[in-house]
Amino acid sequence: MVSHTLLVMSLILFLGLNTFLVAHANYLNQNIDITWGDGRGNFQNNGTLLNLTLDQSSGSGFQSKAEYLYGKVDMQIKLVPGNSAGTVTTFYLKSQGLTWDEIDFEFLGNVSGDPYILHTNVYTQGKGDREQQFYLWFDPTAEFHNYSILWNPSHIVFYVDGKPIREFKNLEAMGVAYPKSQPMRMYGSLVKTNWSEGPFVASFMNYNSENACVWSTDNGTTTTTPCSPGDSSSSSSTSTSECRKVLKWVQKKFMVYNYCKDKKRFWQGLPVECDAKKNNKNKNKNKNKT
């Protein structure tokens, strides 16, 4: 029987062979800070392993030491097995301040036998409301799977095992805000709202930010480490016909919620980006008339 005085959740984060642009090391304690939890997070195995603990008083979480302005980050995650209802595992990028930018992966736990829900969202200048949710086409608790965020001046792409599942384009020309000037850190956490089935374990490994552009301020001067702003190769871009087919396949088969389809919620009209092609055509027509 699980103790009512202390229920422990361990979240394991392991860095393997990957390196950061600046630190060039495989040690979490050189690249990651435990930022909350009052001692419930700790490094092990010479800093290559991070355990986050959650009890009835508090959870815990971490963040990257570096901030990034554009790039690609990857994390391998193995989610909480069994009855994980009420748990939320997170992997996301976020800037600071009241008008923050944020790019989210959130994994919403389930009752045994039901699928996890992968929740994605994009915040710009403190405003979100751009949720898309998916079931996964595999058991995310059986083994590790790779989750990636590509963020560059053209678009944001969410990937699962290298497959694009969502694209958020830069449509500033149509009046849609886009995260472009605020550097972001990587964050992760495991939290719980229902204790009846604890304890729980989610595992993270092989964090890779080699393709992320590190942001720094030295002597009052802001600089970005030279790098490619995200992988623009055909294997990662959604511009190729094959990747477009994969994106459509995932969204057709596994998407369970799309804010762009929720006319009841947006009864005064869907957000501009939800029908970008139509709005762009109308804009071009108006230009031609003048």
Side-chain angles (χ1 to χ4, degrees), residues 202-220:
S203 300
F204 288 56
M205 64 183 294
N206 291 336
Y207 174 55
N208 182 5
S209 63
E210 287 181 315
N211 292 310
C213 305
V214 175
W215 178 273
S216 63
T217 52
D218 296 321
N219 299 321

Side-chain angles (χ1 to χ4, degrees), residues 12-276:
I12 302 172
L13 175 65
F14 177 74
L15 279 186
L17 301 177
N18 297 301
T19 60
F20 278 69
L21 276 170
V22 173
H24 296 297
N26 297 327
Y27 300 101
L28 268 71
N29 54 2
Q30 292 184 14
N31 304 309
I32 300 286
D33 288 323
I34 299 170
T35 51
W36 61 281
D38 194 22
R40 291 173 178 81
N42 61 87
F43 292 105
Q44 297 183 4
N45 293 356
N46 296 319
T48 62
L49 182 70
L50 171 61
N51 286 338
L52 295 183
T53 301
L54 170 67
D55 58 28
Q56 287 179 313
S57 298
S58 175
S60 49
F62 60 87
Q63 68 180 40
S64 63
K65 291 180 183 290
E67 293 180 290
Y68 312 107
L69 185 61
Y70 297 136
K72 187 183 180 193
V73 294
D74 310 272
M75 183 76 82
Q76 291 184 2
I77 304 172
K78 184 178 180 181
L79 297 176
V80 176
N83 189 345
S84 58
T87 64
V88 181
T89 305
T90 69
F91 169 52
Y92 61 102
L93 295 171
K94 185 181 179 183
S95 66
Q96 302 300 308
L98 296 177
T99 55
W100 75 96
D101 296 332
E102 186 173 340
I103 307 169
D104 289 343
F105 271 119
E106 294 184 0
F107 303 88
L108 311 182
N110 61 352
V111 176
S112 296
D114 291 341
Y116 260 85
I117 291 178
L118 171 54
H119 176 96
T120 67
N121 205 349
V122 176
Y123 286 77
T124 53
Q125 299 172 16
K127 185 179 184 302
D129 298 333
R130 298 187 177 107
E131 303 92 342
Q132 289 186 357
Q133 296 180 339
F134 304 83
Y135 288 144
L136 296 168
W137 51 94
F138 52 81
D139 181 359
T141 71
E143 58 186 14
F144 285 90
H145 290 269
N146 199 63
Y147 303 90
S148 309
I149 297 170
L150 170 65
W151 168 40
N152 64 31
S154 300
H155 60 183
I156 294 164
V157 186
F158 297 78
Y159 295 91
V160 176
D161 286 342
K163 294 180 172 64
I165 66 166
R166 176 179 183 178
E167 179 183 30
F168 183 80
K169 295 182 179 180
N170 184 340
L171 298 174
E172 286 186 297
M174 300 176 63
V176 180
Y178 186 81
K180 65 177 183 179
S181 59
Q182 300 189 79
M184 304 195 214
R185 295 186 191 274
M186 180 278 297
Y187 295 86
S189 65
L190 176 63
V191 296
K192 178 66 179 173
T193 58
N194 177 7
W195 288 95
S196 62
E197 298 294 329
F200 307 90
V201 176
S203 300
F204 288 56
M205 64 183 294
N206 291 336
Y207 174 55
N208 182 5
S209 63
E210 287 181 315
N211 292 310
C213 305
V214 175
W215 178 273
S216 63
T217 52
D218 296 321
N219 299 321
T221 302
T222 300
T223 59
T224 301
T225 301
C227 66
S228 171
D231 187 349
S232 59
S233 66
S234 60
S235 62
S236 294
S237 174
T238 59
S239 61
T240 66
S241 59
E242 185 60 33
C243 285
R244 281 287 169 195
K245 287 180 182 178
V246 174
L247 183 65
K248 289 180 179 180
W249 172 76
V250 171
Q251 294 187 345
K252 181 179 180 180
K253 296 289 187 179
F254 302 102
M255 182 182 283
V256 293
Y257 177 79
N258 183 359
Y259 75 109
C260 281
K261 303 293 184 181
D262 197 341
K263 294 183 178 179
K264 183 176 181 181
R265 176 184 177 187
F266 298 102
W267 58 273
Q268 291 182 314
L270 293 172
V272 174
E273 68 269 22
C274 292
D275 202 353

